[in-house]
Amino acid sequence: MPVTTSSERGPDLHTPLSGVPLTHGQLPRYAAQFTLLAAIAAGIALTLAGWNPAASAIIAGAGYVVVIYAWSRTVEGPRKARDRLVTAVVTGAFLLALLPLVSVIVTVVGNGIARFDVEFFTYSMRGVVGEGGGAYHAIMGTLVVTGLAALISVPIGILTAIYLVEYGRGRLAKAITFFVDVMTGIPSIVAGLFAYALFALVFGPGVRMGIMGAIALSVLMIPVVVRSAEEMLKLVPNELREAAYALAVPKWRTIVKVVLPTALAGIATGVTLAIARVIGETAPLLITLGITSSVNLNPVDGRMATLPVYAYYQYVTPGVPPEPALERAWTAALTLIIIVMALNLIARLISRLFAPKTRG
Amino acid sequence: MRKGSTVLPSTERTRSRRAPQRPGDRVFSGLSTGAGVLILVVLAGVAAFLVAEAWPALIAPADEVPGPDGIVLYIWPLLFGTLLAAFLALLIAAPLAVAIALFITHYAPRRIAQALGYIIDLLAAIPSIIYGLWGIQVLAPLTVEPAGWLEENLGFIPLFAGPASTTGRTMLVAALVLAVMILPIVSAVVREAFRQTPRLHEEASLALGATRWEMIRMAVLPFGRSSIIGASMLGLGRALGETMAVAIVLSVSGGVTFNLISSGNPGTIAANIALEFPESTGIAVNTLIASGLVLFAVTLLVNMAARAVINRRREFSGAN
Amino acid sequence: MKRTTLGRALALPAAAALTFGLVACGAANESGGGDNSGNGGGSGLSGTISGAGASSQDAAQQAWRAGFLEQNPDVTVNYDPIGSGGGREQFISGGSDFGGTDAYLDEEELPKAQERCGQVVEIPAYVSPIAVIFNVEGVDSLNLKPGTIAKIFNQKITKWNDPAIAADNPGAQLPDTAITPVNRSDESGTTENFVEYLKAAAPQDWPHEVSGDWPVKGGEAAQGTSGVVQAVSSGNGTIGYADASQAKDLSTVKVGVGGEFVQYSPEAAAKILEVSERVEGRGEYSFAFDLARDTTESGTYPIVLVSYELACANYSDANKAELVKAYFNYIISEEGQQASADSAGSAPISDALRQQIKPAVDAISAS
């Protein structure tokens, strides 16, 4: 059991109890908050004194960590002090990591909001030069292609994960596990080339179809689905399965009724992540779908526009002046994020509605 | 005769003890096995395609291949750049991802935690080209001054030898952008694993008087270790294969160097394919695909190593 | 609890389908779809043609497409800016109806293309000056001789106050800043044309071979024209080359031609086609030019990118032939050239050249 693996700092059982103080020093209740406020104040003071804001923030943060650790160590002892130290470090790391992520969001929203209007969502680029125009065709294309890719990869991915966790024994399972790992490493552009080569064999060179893009995306998406679903299925406690078997429930019903629902929330996150992983793919769609300025909703007939490719070309080959095209590119990115946000919301809603409560 | 009659019932008993094979079971196991085999077939297809397309470049004489010194010296700097960028990114991202996951599952107040997890998930969806644009517009200019400082004060370390780039489009920035990109995906997987830690383990260690950190160290981290490694590999895979962001951010001008802050950086395989592919014809295309094959092989090795580590930690996963 | 897995498995596709169903009512600017109805707008042409090729002329293609659609509302024209190499390859293999390329078909490609097409129609329709842009504090204008440009990009001249630069710019205050040359990191026609210029105009200072890949190591490299512009404008002491239309507010170098220094302009750029020689022996409809980069003709700007349009003289599909012909006629028309000049910053071709290439376009037909 993992709990017993580290006992080097457990209580020393040989010392008589009378030697151990029964009470413990404790910091005042608002000690952490107070120190934090002091650190922030110090940081602001440093900034006002002409220091680089980033440097003063780092100094303030480090100051807080040192003060709270030293204080706690003298009053509460090393264990509590270490706990406070880790709390500060984890929170600090979290805030640090959030910084670039927030910056990305701010950049996208700040640049994208300018063209976030009705025209953008109702117009295609057909016959548009310079200002105006929209991404209606690209939004539709992205939904169709990604939807198709999900339709292909989610069943295959989840079934494979079930095979690996529930059925797979021996060589085939090992091979599949290994090659799924390998598959996560296929560079996206190679997946695009593969899909292109496959269809070019059948339809001749120069072929462009929505379904090609969907297949290229599936190659990228399946391993992500398998990996996350596998991890989640593995985490389902064996006791649940054994209980079901003990009640003479057939294996497949055990999987469908017990294992999958238990892992549902995790699988939903995995699938959402997998979709998120591919919905923004540019390189493979560049090769397989091409770009068009008109609406095309038929995935087996000709070029389709998709949001990432649309954004890419608006950025790479803007006209003169370039501003309207660049604005469209940023708005396309913003739209992409919003689409994923909506998908995410639905996935979460569903997993919350249907998943059995495993924890309080 | 007597001997036979004692053997027979025992085999019968073992057979009857096994769960009866119902049609539903057979269909279901068939389906899931089929799905697994399908993946193998697809992968074999991809591999066959790569090898077939790379072959002409591998056997071509050195002077027909792009670059002055043959295919090995063409791919080597790219491979070096790929590994350098990806491992740097992982080095930065993995601890932060674990911290994020810990913060969300064990430190943040419950209500805030959900919202935070949600936001982080969203970030995984930002297309790589946006990270590229952000890197070049926001991050790169910010690093110019610190890079100059690094060159002046830590220039004796080969990593910061300089001369510092005046535009900030350096290997360091590329690695940072990659780290930011893989952060959401790694932390999301790790978070889910931490969340699955048996509550009994956690409560037991708290009841024994452990502080929160001791509880995490003894119950949560060991439980999530295989997921942390798995998630890191997922992130590494993404960083190795990342195309557009690197292509936009990194200033590539050849050469193998550990120097992170100059403008003369080695390229990466994926970005190089994206940059060169559109204008390439003939043997140059085959060479690019050969470099893709190398990337493929690298991922294979990385995954083998990761698998080996995870297998050693098998005992912590719930299903075994 | 009951239908959980089913619900889960269907949720995302269903959500996608739902969103899709809600908004799938057509784009507001596309009346009734392009290829099904013939409501008699303009010429009565209808159908779809697709082209692929150089990304350099993508902005121009957008302008041409828009102008052409105005006259022929039932036609759909697609252009994939996949790159010149890909464009030529697809055109030869029959994957696209027309092509765009920064370099004319080479001796190997030409016969293959003729196999597909009979005669190949190859016309220079997009002429774009390449500006040498720089960003040096306190310097607004700069004269550079070809040899000096070559030395700068070859990293032989490394300071802005180098005597060679000072000699061309008497009286200018040149700072003691290091020069950071910026080049394209992707293989491109812009690079190829720029390098070709350096090789032709300053052969002794530019020892490298001509290709779409930048040959000098150690400089700053950026993706695409926008990347180079971004890098040049964000650094100090930077110099790069980019399509003139995207040079924005950056200062541009006046390039030495003969005894004078020429600032780029559409007229000066278009002039190069007049002083260049047409390549012979490629069929009567092929207008390939070997540009006279080393010209000393006064008022000519020698660093230009000439991008060609490719088509077949003979299509198997009569409608395709009609469409390509109409589209190409629009491209080379005064109106079409003006449209690309307005929105892509290209130099309109001269009337003389138009008269020359018009018969080639008119020869497009179906067998």
Side-chain angles (χ1 to χ4, degrees):
Chain A
M1 287 304 288
V3 180
T4 59
T5 49
S6 54
S7 55
E8 70 270 17
R9 240 183 316 283
D12 183 0
L13 294 178
H14 301 291
T15 322
L17 262 182
S18 55
V20 180
L22 289 179
T23 54
H24 233 293
Q26 203 170 10
L27 288 186
R29 203 152 153 230
Y30 293 106
Q33 284 93 325
F34 172 74
T35 318
L36 187 62
L37 277 179
I40 291 173
I44 291 173
L46 278 178
T47 314
L48 290 180
W51 284 53
N52 183 338
S56 16
I58 291 170
I59 290 176
Y64 170 77
V65 170
V66 169
V67 169
I68 198 79
Y69 179 73
W71 191 4
S72 172
R73 198 180 163 96
T74 49
V75 180
E76 296 177 318
R79 283 178 56 218
K80 269 279 170 66
R82 190 180 300 245
D83 185 46
R84 285 189 189 273
L85 175 74
V86 172
T87 306
V89 168
V90 165
T91 313
F94 175 78
L95 292 178
L96 184 73
L98 223 51
L99 218 60
L101 300 177
V102 169
S103 165
V104 170
I105 296 263
V106 168
T107 312
V108 173
V109 173
N111 286 308
I113 206 80
R115 274 305 316 278
F116 202 73
D117 49 24
V118 176
E119 194 184 352
F120 189 82
F121 292 96
T122 52
Y123 272 54
S124 68
M125 286 301 289
R126 190 180 164 84
V128 175
V129 177
E131 296 205 14
Y136 174 81
H137 58 313
I139 296 169
M140 286 295 117
T142 290
L143 290 181
V144 169
V145 172
T146 317
L148 274 174
L151 217 57
I152 298 169
S153 346
V154 172
I156 293 181
I158 292 183
L159 279 172
T160 307
I162 289 173
Y163 171 78
L164 289 176
V165 176
E166 305 291 337
Y167 292 98
R169 297 287 176 264
R171 225 173 248 178
L172 182 62
K174 268 199 186 138
I176 292 176
T177 315
F178 179 69
F179 284 112
V180 164
D181 282 358
V182 173
M183 218 168 157
T184 58
I186 297 181
S188 56
I189 197 158
V190 170
L193 291 173
F194 166 69
Y196 178 77
L198 196 69
F199 275 72
L201 275 183
V202 183
F203 294 96
V207 60
R208 294 278 191 285
M209 277 187 205
I211 188 78
M212 279 165 76
I215 285 179
L217 293 186
S218 299
V219 171
L220 298 169
M221 192 171 163
I222 288 173
V224 185
V225 176
V226 175
R227 276 300 283 269
S228 54
E230 190 193 349
E231 289 295 326
M232 293 311 136
L233 289 176
K234 268 196 205 157
L235 291 172
V236 174
N238 246 358
E239 291 86 338
L240 287 183
R241 295 189 184 87
E242 279 157 8
Y245 296 151
L247 294 170
V249 180
K251 189 164 188 177
W252 73 276
R253 284 183 71 89
T254 308
I255 294 168
V256 173
K257 299 278 173 189
V258 178
V259 178
L260 281 181
T262 313
L264 196 59
I267 293 179
T269 310
V271 168
T272 317
L273 277 173
I275 291 181
R277 162 89 169 82
V278 298
I279 202 169
E281 273 304 342
T282 317
L285 296 183
L286 220 61
I287 303 172
T288 53
L289 290 187
I291 184 79
T292 169
S293 53
S294 312
V295 175
N296 174 16
L297 298 177
N298 185 353
V300 290
D301 177 33
R303 287 146 214 271
M304 288 174 95
T306 51
L307 277 172
V309 179
Y310 173 85
Y312 178 72
Y313 278 132
Q314 292 293 332
Y315 166 72
V316 172
T317 57
V320 178
E323 281 76 22
L326 295 181
E327 277 172 5
R328 282 195 292 266
W330 283 108
T331 310
L334 182 60
T335 311
L336 205 49
I337 295 174
I338 290 172
I339 289 176
V340 176
M341 188 149 57
L343 286 178
N344 211 328
L345 208 66
I346 294 167
R348 269 175 194 250
L349 213 63
I350 287 167
S351 71
R352 182 168 313 162
L353 285 182
F354 291 103
K357 291 247 183 292
T358 53
R359 301 188 56 162
Chain B
M1 188 65 185
R2 272 179 74 95
K3 221 178 173 185
S5 65
T6 50
V7 170
L8 225 130
S10 80
T11 51
E12 232 166 21
R13 208 180 304 138
T14 40
R15 194 182 303 153
S16 64
R17 214 191 289 150
R18 197 184 296 158
Q21 272 281 343
R22 282 167 246 212
D25 255 346
R26 225 166 289 156
V27 169
F28 200 76
S29 76
L31 266 180
S32 54
T33 315
V37 171
L38 183 68
I39 288 185
L40 290 187
V41 170
V42 169
L43 199 76
V46 174
F49 156 75
L50 277 177
V51 172
E53 291 285 311
W55 191 246
L58 295 177
I59 57 168
D63 53 335
E64 282 181 26
V65 173
D69 313 302
I71 189 162
V72 174
L73 286 177
Y74 178 79
I75 293 179
W76 159 240
L78 295 173
L79 177 62
F80 176 82
T82 308
L83 292 175
L84 182 63
F87 277 103
L88 263 179
L90 190 65
L91 213 62
I92 301 166
L96 285 178
V98 173
I100 290 180
L102 271 183
F103 184 81
I104 290 176
T105 52
H106 288 89
Y107 284 90
R110 226 160 215 294
R111 230 171 271 152
I112 300 175
Q114 278 212 328
L116 287 176
Y118 181 59
I119 291 172
I120 302 260
D121 279 2
L122 280 187
L123 289 162
I126 297 180
S128 51
I129 164 177
I130 296 304
Y131 279 108
L133 295 181
W134 171 79
I136 193 171
Q137 287 197 352
V138 181
L139 187 62
L142 283 180
T143 62
V144 172
E145 220 176 300
W149 184 87
L150 283 174
E151 184 199 352
E152 253 170 58
N153 297 291
L154 296 172
F156 57 90
I157 305 173
L159 293 179
F160 306 120
S165 162
T166 55
T167 55
R169 301 170 56 258
T170 59
M171 185 54 99
L172 185 66
V173 170
L176 281 173
V177 169
L178 284 179
V180 174
M181 287 183 73
I182 63 175
L183 201 52
I185 219 159
V186 176
S187 79
V189 176
V190 175
R191 190 183 74 226
E192 281 308 318
F194 284 173
R195 194 164 278 161
Q196 304 287 335
T197 313
R199 173 142 273 210
L200 284 177
H201 291 193
E202 296 176 20
E203 282 172 357
S205 55
L206 288 175
L208 286 169
T211 60
R212 184 152 52 178
W213 164 238
E214 284 161 350
M215 179 272 283
I216 287 170
R217 203 165 53 90
M218 293 188 291
V220 179
L221 288 183
F223 184 82
R225 194 164 295 162
S226 93
S227 288
I228 293 175
I229 296 168
S232 300
M233 288 309 126
L234 211 63
L236 188 64
R238 189 164 183 193
L240 283 170
E242 179 46 49
T243 313
M244 286 300 170
V246 178
I248 293 175
V249 167
L250 193 61
S251 161
V252 179
S253 44
V256 173
T257 168
F258 278 104
N259 192 343
L260 300 182
I261 55 169
S262 79
S263 52
N265 302 291
T268 74
I269 291 177
N272 184 60
I273 295 179
L275 290 174
E276 302 287 317
F277 194 80
E279 299 285 339
S280 294
T281 45
I283 202 89
V285 173
N286 299 121
T287 311
L288 290 178
I289 292 179
S291 72
L293 189 66
V294 172
L295 181 55
F296 199 69
V298 169
T299 327
L300 207 124
L301 288 176
V302 166
N303 280 310
M304 274 164 91
R307 251 314 127 177
V309 175
I310 293 173
N311 280 344
R312 233 188 292 152
R313 307 272 179 196
R314 255 280 147 81
E315 67 264 31
F316 295 119
S317 95
N320 292 288
Chain C
M1 265 302 275
K2 218 177 158 209
R3 269 165 293 277
T4 40
T5 27
L6 192 66
R8 171 75 247 114
L10 292 181
L12 295 179
L18 192 69
T19 336
F20 168 72
L22 279 176
V23 273
C25 46
N29 56 335
E30 291 184 37
S31 49
D35 19 18
N36 47 7
S37 64
N39 48 4
S43 56
L45 289 172
S46 72
T48 304
I49 49 170
S50 298
S55 52
S56 55
Q57 46 170 298
D58 186 39
Q61 287 279 357
Q62 281 171 21
W64 292 331
R65 220 154 49 205
F68 188 62
L69 287 180
E70 229 165 71
Q71 299 171 358
N72 308 283
D74 293 330
V75 179
T76 300
V77 178
N78 294 320
Y79 184 77
D80 252 357
I82 54 171
S84 298
R88 291 197 297 272
E89 211 159 75
Q90 280 202 15
F91 178 75
I92 291 168
S93 65
S96 57
D97 302 320
F98 64 95
T101 170
D102 292 341
Y104 54 77
L105 295 166
D106 62 27
E107 320 75 271
E108 265 177 55
E109 290 164 333
L110 189 63
K112 287 193 218 152
Q114 281 165 339
E115 214 168 278
R116 176 196 169 190
C117 290
Q119 290 280 18
V120 177
V121 176
E122 195 172 32
I123 50 172
Y126 178 76
V127 179
S128 164
I130 299 171
V132 179
I133 49 180
F134 66 95
N135 185 14
V136 186
E137 255 175 48
V139 181
D140 295 329
S141 92
L142 202 61
N143 298 330
L144 292 177
K145 287 213 177 75
T148 319
I149 298 178
K151 278 186 201 149
I152 288 175
F153 278 96
N154 199 22
Q155 295 168 19
K156 293 285 178 275
I157 296 178
T158 55
K159 290 277 182 202
W160 278 109
N161 58 359
D162 191 277
I165 301 179
D168 290 347
N169 298 277
Q173 286 292 321
L174 295 166
D176 180 33
T177 326
I179 299 179
T180 309
V182 181
N183 61 270
R184 288 276 290 265
S185 60
D186 48 337
E187 198 171 336
S188 70
T190 311
T191 299
E192 186 160 358
N193 278 284
F194 183 64
V195 173
E196 232 174 71
Y197 160 74
L198 293 177
K199 184 85 189 163
Q204 65 278 19
D205 295 316
W206 190 257
H208 307 283
E209 264 178 57
V210 173
S211 85
D213 264 326
W214 187 249
V216 190
K217 302 282 177 211
E220 173 99 10
Q223 190 208 8
T225 298
S226 19
V228 171
V229 173
Q230 166 100 26
V232 170
S233 42
S234 67
N236 182 22
T238 44
I239 183 167
Y241 56 93
D243 294 350
S245 59
Q246 300 297 329
K248 290 194 211 161
D249 313 327
L250 286 163
S251 318
T252 54
V253 169
K254 292 195 183 77
V255 176
V257 178
E260 56 176 2
F261 292 97
V262 183
Q263 175 77 359
Y264 84 84
S265 70
E267 298 76 40
K271 212 169 168 191
I272 187 117
L273 280 178
E274 286 163 33
V275 301
S276 303
E277 255 177 57
R278 184 178 160 190
V279 186
E280 295 297 329
R282 296 171 60 85
E284 56 178 320
Y285 303 135
S286 165
F287 289 86
F289 287 92
D290 274 332
L291 298 178
R293 312 261 184 205
D294 50 355
T295 182
T296 51
E297 185 89 12
S298 151
T300 309
Y301 186 78
I303 319 177
V304 295
L305 168 103
V306 174
S307 200
Y308 297 86
E309 308 298 326
L310 297 173
C312 290
N314 227 326
Y315 285 93
S316 54
D317 182 337
N319 192 39
K320 282 232 153 92
E322 272 307 303
L323 289 177
V324 173
K325 183 169 154 185
Y327 185 52
F328 273 38
N329 259 321
Y330 174 77
I331 290 178
I332 61 166
S333 71
E334 220 164 306
E335 193 190 343
Q337 287 293 312
Q338 195 52 48
S340 61
D342 289 344
S343 63
S346 65
I349 56 173
S350 64
D351 280 330
L353 183 63
R354 186 172 305 121
Q355 294 314 321
Q356 248 186 312
I357 59 182
K358 180 90 166 113
V361 175
D362 285 334
I364 296 173
S365 64
S367 55

